Amino acid sequence: MKLVKPAAALLSIVLLAGCWDRLELNELSITAATAVDWDEKQQWVVSYQVVIPSAISGAMGNMKGGASQSPIIVYSTHGPTIRGAIQQSTFESPRKLFFSHNRVVVVSAEAARRGLEPLIDSYLRNSESRETVDVLVTEESARSILRQLMQIQTIPGEGIYETLRTENRLFSALPSVNMYELALQLLGSSHNAVIPEILISGTPEVTNNQMMGNTSLPSKLRLGRLAVLKEGKLAGWLSQDEALGVAFLRNKVERTNISAPCKATEPTLETSVRVERADTKITPVRRGDELTLQARIVANGTLLETNCSLDLEESEALRQLESQVRQRIIEVVRSGYSATQQLQADVIGLADRVHRKYPKLWHEVEPDWAARYAQIPLNLQVEFTLKRVGLSTKSFKKQFGQEED
Amino acid sequence: MRSGLTVAECMAAIIMIIMPTAYLIVPTAVLDFAAQDAWISTIAATAIGGGIAAWLGWFAGRNGDGESFLNWLSGRSGRAIAFAGGLLLAFHFFSHASRALNEYISFLKVNVLPTTPNAVLIAVTVLLAMYAVGQGIVTIARICFLMMIATVGIYTATIVLLYSRMHFSYLQPIGEKSIGHIAAGAFTPVCWMSEAAIILLIAPFMAKPRQAPRAVIWGVLLVGFMMMFIVLEALMLFGPNVVKFLQYPSFELISVIQFGGFLERIDMYFIMFWMVTVFLKISLLLFGAVHCLEQTFRVRGGRQLILWAIGLLLTLDASFSWPENFEMEIEAFAKNVSLIIFNILVPFVLWLASYLKLGRGSKKAEEGRT
Amino acid sequence: MRGLGIRLPFLKRRDHSGRRNGGGGNGGGRGPGGPSLSRQLQANLNAIRRELGDSSDLTIRLIRDDSGRVLAAVVYIDGIVIFDTINQMLLSPIMERVHELSSGRSSLSAADMRALLEAGTIQLGRVRETYDLSHLIEELLTGSTIILSDGSSVAFAAATRGGEKRSVDEPSSQTVARGPKEGFTEDVQTNISLIRRRIKSPLIRVENRLLGKHTKTVTSVVYMKGIAREEVVEEIRRRLSRIEVDSILESGYVEEFIQDEVWTPFPTIQNSERPDAIAAGILEGQVAIVVDGSPFVLLAPVTFVKFFQSSEDYYQRFDIATFLRVIRMVSFFISMLLPSLYIAITTFHQEMLPTPLLISLAAQREGVPFPALIEAMLMEVTFEVLREAGVRMPRIIGPAISIVGALVLGQAAVQAGLVSAAMIIVVSFTAIANFVIPALNMAIAARLIRFAMMLLAATLGLFGIMSGVMILLIHLVSLKSFGVPYMTPLAPLKISNLKDVLVRAPWWLMKTRPSVISTEDRVRQAPGLKPGPPKDRGERGS
Amino acid sequence: MQKIVQYELAAGIFLVQVGSSPLFLLAKPAGRDAWMSVLLALLAGLLLLAAVTLPIYRREPDSSLAELLLAYLGKWLGGAVTAAYMVYFAYQSVRNVREFGDWMLMYLLPTTPLGFVALVMMAVSAFAVYKGPEVFFRVALLIAPGVTLMYGLLYGPIFFSDLFRPEELQPALEHGLRPVVMAALPTVVSFPFGEMVLFLMFLKYGGRSSLTSRTTLLTFLFAGLLIVAANVLLIGVLGPLADTSVIPLLQSAGLFKMVERLDPIVLLLLFVGVFMKQTAYYLAAVLCMAQLTGAKAHYFIVPVGALIYLGALGFRSYMQQVSVGFKYNLVYHFPIFEVAVPIVLLAVMLLRSPKASAMGE
């Protein structure tokens, strides 16, 4: 037992020697969002949206008088590589950049065209930057996205993240793609990936706190289209409807809203249905070396609104409604699929499935997969059941009509 | 009843000597060779490892009456063999302890404490290990038992939390990799499982040394099972291609967990538990080295002296033998082979020696004992 | 007697041994080789006065026969004897008999005196004869009355111990919501009677011994034969007999002398003021050590888990008891680790905090000058000072001071921007969690370790805490209390004992005693005692 | 022996009868005169009760419907009819579970899966069945006053406020008597009023007191009148809207100023009603199986429960369940069990009364 005393002595000496990794909370600059641009001088421009804690939690206002200071500040640095650019920040920031709470990475279209490999590598390599950040792409400069303020959510970075999550949950057209999912898609057999787009609608940009006073802002942050990446580089865009079709094919639809006409003949969309569950099974089918894509979607939902004069208690009327909705879903899915075919980008994971189902065939097909994908026909089956019609048994139009005759 | 180690505690010790650094290195090694069939190679490795463990357990179980391994050996096969065997084993345990310390420190530097100097980390760990060895193997084994329960709990927690993100389709096409790849994949886990050779030293401390085989076989099977789990989780979460890309997939797994608004970025909790298991591993290895030296040089009472000497040596060795990165591949292979040599070949030779010289050695032992 | 070797230590030894005989370290009726009594009564009385330095409370009553000649003397120290028993039981009967006897002879012989005593005139219980002065003095000092007769060298010591005793009232430290309200007092007899009244079994063994040269405190070892382990009792006897010290004023002295491990914050001997807790311990195979002059009775051997079992757990229903015990266990770890975890997470691993929490903490710490460790230390020390002040203050305002003080100070510190609000919450919650632990000595252990953990956390973050926990674990698992491993039901796993560790199994399930402390036959309850209404409660919807 | 006190029996009958029926507009085809056809159906039900159901009970006061069937119709035929009754009771329970599940989804928990809501309902009912009829009726006694008070609170103010426009009821009998009778007889008789056959299973626990049949009649009448009043109110308040809305009472509750946005509370009222009905049928089905096979009731709780649960989820959508219920069951299936078989049983009992009654003892 003589060992204890010397061991304790040594341990205490070690402790007194100091603490290396200590970083007080007030020595941190918490970044809520990061933006990556590629400027004309062939340099990476990395901008950070840094949160000012005291401005946000007014509760501790006694310290700073709570002057309406803007909750975030944005500054950017240039550098040959991404990490190089980030190191530049030490020249101007009094505090150490802290990326763990970073929610969103916005990449400019220019940088995306150049390829996202360096960004993914820097995120997966460092333990400090989490790979569960969401990736978004934007047409104009990513830096301007960061500067834009939001009304409901004080921290815009969080706001974008929440908007994407809610959209994903309630409409499921634009999937939320985080860094490791992006890597997963790019390293998949097809080397293609999809990222949602974010843009500022309206001008001028809202960048100072005073403007937050009025009830509606001149410009807002909005989710836009769906960007398609081929071999890690930006190849094209998909509209929201096409994005919904792709979401159906990728079986990523949690809940969405479909509006359909009363009859195939009338174009105007009169009925609105909320799709509550949609399971998609896509399997490549091989005949000889001809490949067709067999897709089967089983979905059900609730009727939200209809303007066709129907008595919903009769099953005939229900069947008519269901068929219209089914027709509409088929249109959406086909438009999405053909859009990806035009871009020759297999984003629905067909390559992986072919690789898994027909390994041998895959090795032959792999080299010119993009071209082959463009030719593969889609054989689509959709089943839709209307579970509930809400609180009234007849459409108001019918009741209205009946009253007259 | 004699206050010795129960089977469960001994099994826990076996698990704790293999699992910690294996948790870090095995997934990458196995996945490099047999991408999406890696879990098959872990099953193969467990089978082979189980066989080796059975033999080691049987060999350890034969000296029933609690006399320390090397004394028993010298009694059976002559002092020279025991002396050489003791030295070799001591060197092996020492070098392996320093390697484990190296990997542990390099992981900590990357993930946990980037700017703390190595010397401090090594000093704290070695001091702790020396304190543990000072308290004796019985204490270490009991703590191993407690930590085993905690580790099993954590594994199930990870599975539950990650279940929603797993895609079974990443495992297909099963069997695409050739048998050669799968076998190559199985090599590293088998080397790591051979560390169960420490049962030779622990068995005499057991309440009923006869049950050594049961303990070590169960230990190796559980380790194999855990390894398979990690590999499966990594495969099903990241898919074969991304996993090759990551250096520490088992920790990457945990950093991806997102559950509810608040349960995010919780990999630090898992690293905390994993650190304790590494302390245990290094103290077990240090115990091996000290025990062997003590037995070979018949040093009664000099335990403290040996302990301090070995501790100092370990600190120096670990901090200076910092391998340059570029020869990592050869280095890793060489170390695996050394594991095989010392954990399987040396005990085999010792067994052979004790078997051949059975006539002269055991007669003396017989007289000695009656 | 040993040879006259001139080695210095030997010299010291002889003097040592000399003193031992004089001091009568181990009491009892013997006392060989001391100065023996003389036949003259006066000489003996002078010797007693000389020995006791003529202290004023020494009273000598001379008994004269009709002719005024001194026949005998009754000597006692006023204050520590029960005076009226001496009067009725001793003096008056002797006086009467003396008149009858003294009609003829001039001096009473020892035989006459002894006949007098045996004749029952003196109805006192324990009467012992002594031959030598030192033992007589000893008896005198422990409250007996000495009867000396002229012309005989034999003295009689009658046990008339008395003196003011505190009456049995509620224990001050371990109060319980439900359970007996009786607490031990300072008198060892009362304490043992309290135990005996609870365990009316012939197996109870009480072994007394006198400890301390000057104090001669009566220390009794109480255990149940056949239930407590023989080797444990033997070990306790051996350790007690090693104690050679001037004074034993409180059981704390004894505890420090006989404990297993010196360098450990964790107590290896349990103490309690509640007779029911001690009785429960004895019934489970533990050995109780009752020290005269202290209401705290020691219980050994003890395991880590026993400190979290308050006696109330066994009086409440098992589900409440289990709930309380879980809270105790959790609060032990909170009181030990919470501040260090707070420091480690806020200064080393900030990514573990959810974003809103991180921002609010960062805002709070904006103006705070000190790093987290100093801030934590500052608040911890303040709380310890306040708590100590609360205890030292007179009974009424004590608790008020500590609570009010804590609140006011905390609030002011936050206002002044010296400390962040979150730190106040953490530190005060830890302090309160510490009160939950039933055994005071375990609570103090947690408080000591907390400081060490904070230091480790401040230098190495979670890595530091983990090594601290590891050291603690190794130390605890290697600790033994009288041969019983300290972490018994958990470390060396005893599945059957787990029923009373984190969970208090219902009574009808507690068939066996904990196996480690008690001997082999552990059944203490008939099987199948599960309560329930009579079987056929009216057939259900038949 | 299970014993049900008179009041408990009355409460049970009231709750099962009232249950969820006042929430619906019954006899929709009769349009504005729906309340008349409900009144007519009430009288028909009264006749059925007094002439058929109660006499059966009075002849054999301490044996349930299943025992009677087995005793009088012989082992094989009786067994088959009892099994049929078990299926009838189970199916009634299925309809209630599904209906309540869909309302819950429509109103309170739009995104919770139907299966889960139904499971919770079934678990609660299973627990009630496990405790037996005595406890079930005692619970009914506890709940009945609350339900009546709630209905009173809802209907009272609406009746006396300007919301209720009696003129909506005019012109009465605009299309003559035929639609009123046509609407009343098959459907409304079998839906709320024909369900008294269920109580043939429970009356035996009422003890032999002569009051039992009197309480049954009185409670039935009271409940029936309450339903008629509800219908009058619905037509009065909602007018043309009455037949379009799925749960008219909830609509009207919403309109009333003081009682705005209390729909969830009204839904709780609904919960109690549906729960009592569903559990009563579940209990009846379990008792049927128990008496059919002679085994103890516990064994059948889970299988019958599972049967009901799967049945409830069997329907493709809510509208299918409603249409199947109103078009087929009420018109063809239920009258057989509620009218035809009891009459046949009564006839057989009268014919073979001496021998059978001896065996019945």
Side-chain angles (χ1 to χ4, degrees), chain C residues 200-212:
Chain C
K200 306 177 185 61
S201 134
L203 298 174
I204 287 280
R205 294 288 181 277
V206 176
E207 294 165 4
N208 277 6
R209 62 181 70 239
L210 292 178
L211 289 181

PDB file of all heavy atoms in Angstrom, chain C residues 200-212:
ATOM      1  N   LYS C 200     -35.079 -10.435  22.436  1.00  0.00           N
ATOM      2  CA  LYS C 200     -35.158 -11.252  23.669  1.00  0.00           C
ATOM      3  C   LYS C 200     -34.746 -12.677  23.306  1.00  0.00           C
ATOM      4  O   LYS C 200     -35.555 -13.590  23.322  1.00  0.00           O
ATOM      5  CB  LYS C 200     -36.604 -11.223  24.188  1.00  0.00           C
ATOM      6  CG  LYS C 200     -37.157  -9.788  24.395  1.00  0.00           C
ATOM      7  CD  LYS C 200     -38.603  -9.835  24.830  1.00  0.00           C
ATOM      8  CE  LYS C 200     -39.172  -8.410  24.920  1.00  0.00           C
ATOM      9  NZ  LYS C 200     -39.124  -7.737  23.580  1.00  0.00           N
ATOM     10  N   SER C 201     -33.483 -12.836  22.860  1.00  0.00           N
ATOM     11  CA  SER C 201     -33.078 -14.202  22.468  1.00  0.00           C
ATOM     12  C   SER C 201     -31.862 -14.584  23.299  1.00  0.00           C
ATOM     13  O   SER C 201     -31.010 -13.740  23.594  1.00  0.00           O
ATOM     14  CB  SER C 201     -32.702 -14.215  20.971  1.00  0.00           C
ATOM     15  OG  SER C 201     -31.483 -14.938  20.831  1.00  0.00           O
ATOM     16  N   PRO C 202     -31.819 -15.863  23.704  1.00  0.00           N
ATOM     17  CA  PRO C 202     -30.690 -16.308  24.540  1.00  0.00           C
ATOM     18  C   PRO C 202     -29.366 -16.202  23.777  1.00  0.00           C
ATOM     19  O   PRO C 202     -28.286 -16.198  24.352  1.00  0.00           O
ATOM     20  CB  PRO C 202     -31.034 -17.764  24.849  1.00  0.00           C
ATOM     21  CG  PRO C 202     -31.951 -18.196  23.755  1.00  0.00           C
ATOM     22  CD  PRO C 202     -32.712 -16.964  23.353  1.00  0.00           C
ATOM     23  N   LEU C 203     -29.425 -16.082  22.441  1.00  0.00           N
ATOM     24  CA  LEU C 203     -28.168 -16.084  21.662  1.00  0.00           C
ATOM     25  C   LEU C 203     -27.376 -14.796  21.863  1.00  0.00           C
ATOM     26  O   LEU C 203     -26.224 -14.700  21.483  1.00  0.00           O
ATOM     27  CB  LEU C 203     -28.495 -16.236  20.164  1.00  0.00           C
ATOM     28  CG  LEU C 203     -29.207 -17.540  19.750  1.00  0.00           C
ATOM     29  CD1 LEU C 203     -29.595 -17.476  18.286  1.00  0.00           C
ATOM     30  CD2 LEU C 203     -28.267 -18.709  19.989  1.00  0.00           C
ATOM     31  N   ILE C 204     -27.996 -13.779  22.448  1.00  0.00           N
ATOM     32  CA  ILE C 204     -27.288 -12.478  22.595  1.00  0.00           C
ATOM     33  C   ILE C 204     -26.112 -12.676  23.545  1.00  0.00           C
ATOM     34  O   ILE C 204     -26.255 -13.271  24.616  1.00  0.00           O
ATOM     35  CB  ILE C 204     -28.258 -11.416  23.174  1.00  0.00           C
ATOM     36  CG1 ILE C 204     -29.269 -10.987  22.105  1.00  0.00           C
ATOM     37  CG2 ILE C 204     -27.483 -10.210  23.703  1.00  0.00           C
ATOM     38  CD1 ILE C 204     -28.732  -9.984  21.121  1.00  0.00           C
ATOM     39  N   ARG C 205     -24.923 -12.170  23.121  1.00  0.00           N
ATOM     40  CA  ARG C 205     -23.737 -12.238  24.002  1.00  0.00           C
ATOM     41  C   ARG C 205     -23.284 -10.807  24.247  1.00  0.00           C
ATOM     42  O   ARG C 205     -23.197 -10.019  23.295  1.00  0.00           O
ATOM     43  CB  ARG C 205     -22.612 -13.001  23.289  1.00  0.00           C
ATOM     44  CG  ARG C 205     -22.926 -14.474  23.049  1.00  0.00           C
ATOM     45  CD  ARG C 205     -22.893 -15.280  24.330  1.00  0.00           C
ATOM     46  NE  ARG C 205     -23.183 -16.698  24.070  1.00  0.00           N
ATOM     47  CZ  ARG C 205     -24.419 -17.182  23.950  1.00  0.00           C
ATOM     48  NH1 ARG C 205     -25.456 -16.380  24.053  1.00  0.00           N
ATOM     49  NH2 ARG C 205     -24.628 -18.448  23.704  1.00  0.00           N
ATOM     50  N   VAL C 206     -23.028 -10.439  25.489  1.00  0.00           N
ATOM     51  CA  VAL C 206     -22.514  -9.085  25.812  1.00  0.00           C
ATOM     52  C   VAL C 206     -21.172  -9.264  26.509  1.00  0.00           C
ATOM     53  O   VAL C 206     -21.094  -9.953  27.545  1.00  0.00           O
ATOM     54  CB  VAL C 206     -23.501  -8.335  26.753  1.00  0.00           C
ATOM     55  CG1 VAL C 206     -22.905  -6.987  27.135  1.00  0.00           C
ATOM     56  CG2 VAL C 206     -24.858  -8.190  26.091  1.00  0.00           C
ATOM     57  N   GLU C 207     -20.115  -8.740  25.924  1.00  0.00           N
ATOM     58  CA  GLU C 207     -18.787  -8.864  26.567  1.00  0.00           C
ATOM     59  C   GLU C 207     -18.297  -7.455  26.911  1.00  0.00           C
ATOM     60  O   GLU C 207     -18.123  -6.629  26.015  1.00  0.00           O
ATOM     61  CB  GLU C 207     -17.796  -9.511  25.585  1.00  0.00           C
ATOM     62  CG  GLU C 207     -18.133 -10.964  25.255  1.00  0.00           C
ATOM     63  CD  GLU C 207     -17.361 -11.418  24.014  1.00  0.00           C
ATOM     64  OE1 GLU C 207     -16.558 -10.607  23.531  1.00  0.00           O
ATOM     65  OE2 GLU C 207     -17.609 -12.527  23.519  1.00  0.00           O
ATOM     66  N   ASN C 208     -18.116  -7.222  28.183  1.00  0.00           N
ATOM     67  CA  ASN C 208     -17.676  -5.867  28.611  1.00  0.00           C
ATOM     68  C   ASN C 208     -16.160  -5.825  28.744  1.00  0.00           C
ATOM     69  O   ASN C 208     -15.515  -6.849  28.984  1.00  0.00           O
ATOM     70  CB  ASN C 208     -18.294  -5.551  30.004  1.00  0.00           C
ATOM     71  CG  ASN C 208     -19.717  -5.040  29.808  1.00  0.00           C
ATOM     72  OD1 ASN C 208     -20.197  -5.061  28.671  1.00  0.00           O
ATOM     73  ND2 ASN C 208     -20.337  -4.645  30.885  1.00  0.00           N
ATOM     74  N   ARG C 209     -15.644  -4.608  28.566  1.00  0.00           N
ATOM     75  CA  ARG C 209     -14.208  -4.415  28.874  1.00  0.00           C
ATOM     76  C   ARG C 209     -14.030  -2.940  29.213  1.00  0.00           C
ATOM     77  O   ARG C 209     -14.855  -2.114  28.829  1.00  0.00           O
ATOM     78  CB  ARG C 209     -13.342  -4.805  27.677  1.00  0.00           C
ATOM     79  CG  ARG C 209     -13.615  -3.946  26.433  1.00  0.00           C
ATOM     80  CD  ARG C 209     -12.752  -4.361  25.238  1.00  0.00           C
ATOM     81  NE  ARG C 209     -13.145  -5.655  24.712  1.00  0.00           N
ATOM     82  CZ  ARG C 209     -12.289  -6.689  24.661  1.00  0.00           C
ATOM     83  NH1 ARG C 209     -11.074  -6.546  25.135  1.00  0.00           N
ATOM     84  NH2 ARG C 209     -12.679  -7.836  24.156  1.00  0.00           N
ATOM     85  N   LEU C 210     -12.950  -2.663  29.963  1.00  0.00           N
ATOM     86  CA  LEU C 210     -12.704  -1.247  30.331  1.00  0.00           C
ATOM     87  C   LEU C 210     -11.606  -0.710  29.425  1.00  0.00           C
ATOM     88  O   LEU C 210     -10.562  -1.350  29.261  1.00  0.00           O
ATOM     89  CB  LEU C 210     -12.233  -1.170  31.804  1.00  0.00           C
ATOM     90  CG  LEU C 210     -13.301  -1.540  32.846  1.00  0.00           C
ATOM     91  CD1 LEU C 210     -12.700  -1.462  34.249  1.00  0.00           C
ATOM     92  CD2 LEU C 210     -14.480  -0.569  32.715  1.00  0.00           C
ATOM     93  N   LEU C 211     -11.842   0.420  28.814  1.00  0.00           N
ATOM     94  CA  LEU C 211     -10.822   0.993  27.915  1.00  0.00           C
ATOM     95  C   LEU C 211     -10.399   2.355  28.461  1.00  0.00           C
ATOM     96  O   LEU C 211     -11.202   3.058  29.070  1.00  0.00           O
ATOM     97  CB  LEU C 211     -11.421   1.175  26.502  1.00  0.00           C
ATOM     98  CG  LEU C 211     -11.696  -0.124  25.701  1.00  0.00           C
ATOM     99  CD1 LEU C 211     -12.264   0.243  24.326  1.00  0.00           C
ATOM    100  CD2 LEU C 211     -10.422  -0.931  25.553  1.00  0.00           C
ATOM    101  N   GLY C 212      -9.145   2.692  28.239  1.00  0.00           N
ATOM    102  CA  GLY C 212      -8.670   4.036  28.630  1.00  0.00           C
ATOM    103  C   GLY C 212      -8.148   4.000  30.062  1.00  0.00           C
ATOM    104  O   GLY C 212      -8.888   3.590  30.970  1.00  0.00           O
TER     105      GLY C 212
END
